[in-house]
């Protein structure tokens, strides 16, 4: 809709309900949020609403803003123009934490006929589960059947009283375990505040998608609660979260009950654990689903063999081209690793290996390659490392750093062949496109006579190596 026209000009298409409404009533649609990659230009291309993030378009004064920012700006604009008021809605609900289960943290509450609900005295905490509770399978809390546990004296009046026999939901424990992990032997309190201050927050949290909703919500809730109690001085427990994808087989999640699990033992026997590890990491980014397909395993194995053979042919002096390649790879792999993009890091290491295979590498370059491979194929890397004569573990050697002076994109000189015979040379930018390169080659003064005014049958380009024109 457009402001002030008094009529519906077009329906925005960032909401599926609006989209369907427009479709139903044959109203024109308008793109208001455009994907950042520019993959969508107009609403006419849409088969359904684009509900992702992006840049505001057709949005008056809000054009060009990232939609998340625009949201706030639009709300402010509406408030300023008397069209509404910004309000935060909290959707807090009661959380019933009690369970009729043995396994759980006892709720430290005592019921006294005189005093009512009385908390267990601080000195008597924690309340521990009795070791002899009967498991009858009959329902009701097993703790209620243990007389010695249930019958207590009231902390207030010392008269006969009853202990609470429900236990807390397991979420109650799993929502702050990371704080306890900072001081697991501490007996004075749930956790040592100094240790928590030192270790927290968690830099990188990794878990399955089942962790991403309730566990995360409760963990954040507990963290904020502890902060309010001034037991910790931070507001969020985790800096970064990675939810790893499931492994599928024939389109379904692998599980024993489905009978579609694969046994890694035979793969490890044939190819080794490192080849399998490499293959899995190369198959997909960790956050996406992975369709299990063993065909890549052979390739991973061949790649490792290729790396292995380099050690027999090390050069005395570094090859300048390979040095540049190495530093580019160090930069890429370091950044990919920090973003958990293992598959693209591996792809870069494979490219570097191929380049070394053709041009050769000295010991320094090869060692850097092996160090970069070591988190992925630890045994393999350590073995090469020792064969190279290193006395300490590869895992104690520093991660290679790149030198920016090697990263400058430079020109490369390519031989131009006509029917396989060298006829000219051309200097072009290393990253030149194939089309541009073809254009330059065909316009080369030394080449033109060889073409005899005809269009070539084929132009073969070996990137950064040579061009061969077939006439
Ligand atoms: Zn009492």
């Amino acid at each position: 809709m457009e402001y002030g026209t008094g009529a519906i000009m077009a329906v925005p298409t960032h909401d599926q309900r609006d989209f369907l409404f427009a479709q139903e009533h044959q109203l024109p649609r308008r793109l208001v949020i455009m994907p950042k990659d520019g993959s969508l230009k107009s609403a006419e291309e849409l088969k359904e609403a684009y509900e992702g993030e992006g840049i505001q378009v057709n949005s008056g004064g809000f054009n060009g803003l990232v939609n998340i920012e625009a949201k706030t700006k639009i709300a402010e604009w509406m408030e300023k123009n008397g069209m509404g008021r910004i309000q935060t809605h909290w959707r807090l609900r009661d959380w019933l934490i009690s369970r009729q289960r043995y396994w759980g943290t006892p709720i430290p509450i005592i019921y006294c006929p005189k005093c009512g609900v009385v908390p267990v005295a601080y000195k008597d905490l924690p309340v521990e589960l009795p070791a002899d509770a009967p498991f009858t399978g009959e329902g009701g809390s097993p703790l209620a059947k243990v007389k010695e546990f249930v019958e207590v004296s009231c902390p207030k009046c010392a008269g006969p009283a009853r202990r609470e026999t429900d236990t807390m939901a397991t979420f109650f424990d799993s929502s702050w375990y990371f704080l306890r992990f900072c001081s697991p032997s501490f007996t004075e309190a749930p956790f040592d505040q100094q240790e928590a201050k030192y270790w927290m927050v968690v830099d990188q949290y990794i878990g399955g998608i089942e962790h991403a909703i309730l566990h995360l919500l409760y963990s954040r809730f507990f963290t904020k609660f502890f902060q309010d109690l001034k037991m910790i001085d931070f507001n969020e427990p985790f800096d970064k979260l990675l939810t790893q994808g499931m492994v599928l087989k024939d389109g379904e999640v692998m599980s024993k009950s489905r009978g579609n699990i694969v046994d890694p033992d035979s793969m490890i026997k044939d190819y080794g654990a490192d080849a399998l590890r490499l293959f899995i990491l190369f198959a997909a980014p960790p956050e996406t689903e992975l369709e299990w397909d063993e065909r890549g395993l052979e390739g991973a194995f061949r790649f490792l063999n290729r790396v292995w053979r380099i050690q027999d042919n090390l050069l005395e002096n570094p090859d300048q081209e390979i040095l540049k390649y190495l530093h580019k790879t160090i930069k890429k792999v370091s950044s990919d690793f920090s973003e958990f993009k293992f598959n693209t890091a591996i792809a870069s290491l494979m490219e570097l290996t191929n380049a070394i295979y053709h041009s050769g590498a000295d010991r320094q370059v090869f060692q850097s390659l092996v160090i970069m491979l070591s988190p992925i194929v630890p045994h393999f890397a350590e073995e090469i490392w020792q064969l190279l004569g290193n006395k300490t573990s590869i895992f104690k050697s520093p991660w290679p750093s790149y030198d920016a002076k090697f990263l400058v994109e430079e020109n490369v000189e390519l031989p131009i062949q006509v029917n396989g015979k060298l006829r000219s040379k051309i200097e072009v930018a290393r990253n030149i496109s194939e089309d541009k390169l073809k254009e330059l080659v065909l316009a080369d003064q030394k080449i033109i006579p060889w073409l005899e005014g005809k269009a070539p049958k084929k132009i073969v380009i070996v990137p950064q190596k040579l061009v061969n024109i077939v006439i």
Side-chain angles (χ1 to χ4, degrees), residues 246-252 254 260-264 267 276-277 279-281 283 289-297:
M246 302 275 191
V247 180
L248 307 181
K249 182 88 190 343
D250 308 320
E252 287 194 80
M254 272 193 206
N260 64 346
I261 51 170
V262 292
D263 174 17
M267 293 175 241
L276 181 61
R277 198 179 271 121
F279 157 64
I280 292 170
L281 290 172
E289 286 179 343
L290 163 64
E291 175 66 42
W292 187 257
D293 179 354
E294 272 156 52
R295 280 173 298 184
L297 189 52

Side-chain angles (χ1 to χ4, degrees), residues 112 114-115 118 154 156-159:
C112 171
K114 281 194 212 147
C115 316
V118 186
C154 170
K156 256 193 188 167
C157 70

